[in-house]
Amino acid sequence: MAILASDIEAMIRESFPDARITVQGDDGAHFAAEVVDESFRGKNRVQQQRAVYAALKGRMDGSNGELHALALTTKAPD
């Protein structure tokens, strides 16, 4: 079953309600997302991205995951 960009944004928004979130992609499996959130301040990129992947609730896990590729950019607001 294909996943939509709006589904990805909704999952991320549950964990980061005040974030600026942009998700692009329309093939149902490959997406790019940018998440800008104050909670990332002081965290390195790996810590930030792990937090976002956790918000996706296993949707990227292994070959059975609905989401096959996500190019992820994370940062704290300027």
Side-chain angles (χ1 to χ4, degrees):
M1 180 176 186
I3 190 166
L4 303 173
S6 59
D7 297 331
I8 296 168
E9 181 178 345
M11 286 185 283
I12 295 170
R13 180 123 357 249
E14 285 181 33
S15 294
F16 302 96
D18 298 323
R20 187 175 77 231
I21 302 168
T22 305
V23 180
Q24 298 175 326
D26 60 4
D27 72 353
H30 303 89
F31 297 90
E34 179 179 62
V35 183
V36 180
D37 192 72
E38 184 61 39
S39 70
F40 295 150
R41 192 165 309 281
K43 294 182 180 175
N44 66 41
R45 189 175 358 178
V46 171
Q47 292 169 321
Q48 295 172 15
Q49 292 188 358
R50 282 182 179 160
V52 174
Y53 285 128
L56 296 174
K57 303 172 184 168
R59 297 287 174 95
M60 288 192 72
D61 291 351
S63 61
N64 295 324
E66 294 175 73
L67 180 57
H68 297 287
L70 178 65
L72 184 57
T73 302
T74 56
K75 63 181 183 177
D78 293 331

